[in-house]
Amino acid sequence: MSTVFIAFQTNEDTRPIVESILADNPHASLEEQPAMVKINAEDKLVIRRESIEERIGRRFDLQELQVNLITISGHLDEDDDTFTLAWAN
Amino acid sequence: MQIDLRTVAIKPLRNTFDHLVERFGDKPASRYQEGSYNIQQEHIFHYRPSWDADRVLFDKKRTKIQMKDWYALKDPRQFYYGAYTITRARQQEAAESSFDMIEERGLAELIPNEQKQIALDILLPLRHVEWGGNMGNAYISAYGYGTVMTQACLYHAMDHLGVAQYLTRIGLVLDGPDALDKAKDDWMSGALWQPMRRHVENLLVLDDWFEIFVAQNLVLEGLSYPLFYDHLDSEFSANGGTAISMMTRFMGEWAGETAKWIDAQIKVAAAESPENKALLSDWVKQYRAVTLDALTPLAKCALGDKAAGVLEDVLTEFNARCAKLGLAV
């Protein structure tokens, strides 16, 4: 088993994003560090546009993630609706 | 010598205000939640208002619509004062640059006279309708119940003033200050406008604030905005009046954005109880008929032969929207 992770700055913008990631990925765990939140998950982590939009009440482009993104680990598969981190092979 | 830098994480003892902990638990709250939830005044009314001695100051019974939790009527746009003003300021900048461009390049002179006349006859008197929208929504924010609803209605009221101002500026760009006097005369005494004026004035004297919300925000706006800022706008563009479309861009965008909020209110209120649903449906049926009567002469004047077809399209779309919200219309 290998772990993927994604880390964001802790601020107003990322709170709804982190919330939706945790809701969509029950197997993920949250690690709060000073000024940074890191989300670890076994094998796979899926970020969905729709669930973020539901929380912020406006349209969201997944590329907006990059603004507050610190680092990721895993192979990235990205389309308009999802942003998926996984160890594919 | 070696210095080790160490970061210490300090856990806050409490994440948010008590009134939000009651509702959402002790976790960080968004600005929208901080400024909206559980802050409706409910207790310590020393006196009943002398102008309405049967009720307390902020009374849930000022509308026939009843909700177990009035905070269910939240704004999907999550507008609090900051988010609202930032959004509108950005839109205003865009609108401003459109007006600048039209004035600098003299684009208004290129509009064919016929199109210009339609814009002056139809769009300009609408500023008085917008004023009615402002009054109605200001009434809701004064007598309504539940901060999530009343604050959004106050923003909506201000937006109506904004739209009225853009309409005024269209008049100034197309024909100078005289256009405004002419539009006022049309509104006060032109035969074309009297059904609409009667309707708007009837809305000004309604008591039930949720009824105003339905009549004004859902029905009147739901029928008139697509008619004027979608269908009529395409006519302007198709016939050389693109400059007019540039000046009404805000209205089109705004109607799309606010429709989402209005839909969310109606949907939640209708889903609450069969009584609410029946009441809302009745209001929609009642005001749809009078609104259509008021719009028909305007549509005929603006669109000629196409008016009947366009009104039917607008109506079909509106009915589909209401059905989606769970109303029986």
Side-chain angles (χ1 to χ4, degrees):
Chain A
M1 287 289 219
S2 28
T3 311
V4 295
F5 64 78
I6 186 164
F8 295 102
Q9 296 170 34
T10 311
N11 59 30
E12 274 284 304
D13 292 342
T14 53
R15 200 142 35 76
I17 299 173
V18 171
E19 254 178 48
S20 13
I21 297 176
L22 291 176
D24 287 345
N25 300 275
H27 64 294
S29 65
L30 181 71
E31 188 185 324
E32 287 181 273
Q33 295 185 12
M36 176 174 107
V37 276
K38 189 167 167 236
I39 300 166
N40 302 305
E42 286 298 328
D43 288 329
K44 193 172 174 189
L45 193 61
V46 186
I47 304 176
R48 286 178 216 286
R49 182 176 56 83
E50 270 186 356
S51 32
I52 298 176
E53 283 180 350
E54 222 171 83
R55 282 174 178 79
I56 60 175
R58 63 171 176 90
R59 285 226 295 265
F60 185 82
D61 183 335
L62 278 177
Q63 305 217 333
E64 288 178 48
L65 287 179
Q66 316 279 349
V67 177
N68 297 298
L69 182 65
I70 296 173
T71 180
I72 56 171
S73 121
H75 292 149
L76 171 60
D77 180 16
E78 194 179 6
D79 60 33
D80 283 349
D81 297 319
T82 54
F83 182 105
T84 310
L85 290 171
W87 290 116
N89 297 306
Chain B
M1 191 184 88
Q2 178 188 331
I3 298 173
D4 283 330
L5 285 178
R6 196 165 69 96
T7 49
V8 181
I10 301 169
K11 274 268 170 208
L13 289 178
R14 45 195 290 143
N15 286 303
T16 185
F17 302 104
D18 280 347
H19 68 277
L20 294 176
V21 174
E22 276 168 29
R23 180 170 282 268
F24 300 108
D26 188 17
K27 56 178 191 177
S30 72
R31 292 264 182 248
Y32 175 67
Q33 291 170 338
E34 285 176 2
S36 315
Y37 282 92
N38 291 25
I39 54 177
Q40 170 71 49
Q41 177 92 55
E42 285 181 335
H43 313 291
I44 326 177
F45 297 129
H46 289 230
Y47 304 102
R48 290 185 176 245
S50 56
W51 41 270
D52 187 4
D54 296 337
R55 300 196 178 99
V56 289
L57 196 50
F58 298 104
D59 204 307
K60 295 172 190 170
K61 294 189 212 79
R62 286 188 208 284
T63 174
K64 290 196 207 100
I65 294 291
Q66 284 309 315
M67 301 287 295
K68 275 194 283 305
D69 176 14
W70 285 95
Y71 289 101
L73 296 170
K74 66 173 183 191
D75 179 357
R77 304 164 299 176
Q78 302 188 16
F79 275 168
Y80 56 96
Y81 186 75
Y84 165 73
T85 45
I86 290 167
T87 310
R88 291 293 179 261
R90 208 177 291 139
Q91 287 168 313
Q92 189 174 0
E93 249 166 51
E96 213 61 41
S97 75
S98 298
F99 275 98
D100 282 350
M101 183 173 167
I102 289 167
E103 282 168 34
E104 270 166 29
R105 311 212 171 159
L107 295 183
E109 277 113 72
L110 303 177
I111 305 170
N113 273 335
E114 199 185 322
Q115 300 299 315
K116 203 185 252 183
Q117 201 54 50
I118 294 178
L120 289 172
D121 288 346
I122 299 296
L123 294 186
L124 274 224
L126 281 175
R127 56 204 278 270
H128 303 283
V129 181
E130 295 302 328
W131 181 76
N134 170 262
M135 294 298 283
N137 281 284
Y139 180 95
I140 300 173
S141 55
Y143 299 101
Y145 189 88
T147 320
V148 280
M149 177 62 143
T150 51
Q151 76 165 343
C153 282
L154 192 57
Y155 302 147
H156 202 63
M158 295 314 294
D159 288 339
H160 274 292
L161 279 193
V163 172
Q165 284 175 354
Y166 283 131
L167 292 171
T168 307
R169 284 186 66 183
I170 292 177
L172 294 175
V173 168
L174 294 180
D175 197 27
D178 293 343
L180 305 181
D181 294 335
K182 166 82 172 37
K184 175 80 188 286
D185 283 345
D186 286 352
W187 174 252
M188 295 302 288
S189 48
L192 187 64
W193 284 94
Q194 295 320 301
M196 182 54 96
R197 183 160 79 106
R198 189 178 316 123
H199 179 47
V200 168
E201 288 178 357
N202 282 340
L203 297 189
L204 292 179
V205 295
L206 291 179
D207 276 334
D208 188 319
W209 60 268
F210 215 107
E211 185 176 355
I212 301 179
F213 187 88
V214 172
Q216 167 71 39
N217 296 358
L218 179 63
V219 182
L220 180 55
E221 284 165 30
L223 291 169
S224 66
Y225 271 74
L227 174 65
F228 296 124
Y229 301 114
D230 184 8
H231 292 275
L232 179 57
D233 207 61
S234 337
E235 287 295 306
F236 284 138
S237 298
N239 296 304
T242 320
I244 302 174
S245 305
M246 283 170 71
M247 294 189 279
T248 56
R249 194 177 130 201
F250 172 77
M251 287 75 129
E253 277 177 17
W254 177 75
E257 175 217 286
T258 51
K260 284 200 196 106
W261 160 64
I262 295 162
D263 286 359
Q265 312 305 301
I266 302 287
K267 201 172 177 179
V268 170
E272 173 90 2
S273 68
E275 292 80 21
N276 279 3
K277 184 181 158 176
L279 195 54
L280 290 168
S281 307
D282 286 348
W283 280 336
V284 167
K285 276 184 264 185
Q286 178 191 344
Y287 290 107
R288 184 179 55 190
V290 276
T291 306
L292 277 177
D293 284 346
L295 286 174
T296 307
L298 302 175
K300 273 187 191 142
C301 170
L303 298 160
D305 303 341
K306 293 184 191 159
V310 166
L311 275 178
E312 197 161 313
D313 286 353
V314 168
L315 186 62
T316 317
E317 274 168 42
F318 178 76
N319 288 343
R321 176 180 167 194
C322 291
K324 227 169 120 189
L325 300 179
L327 301 182
V329 289

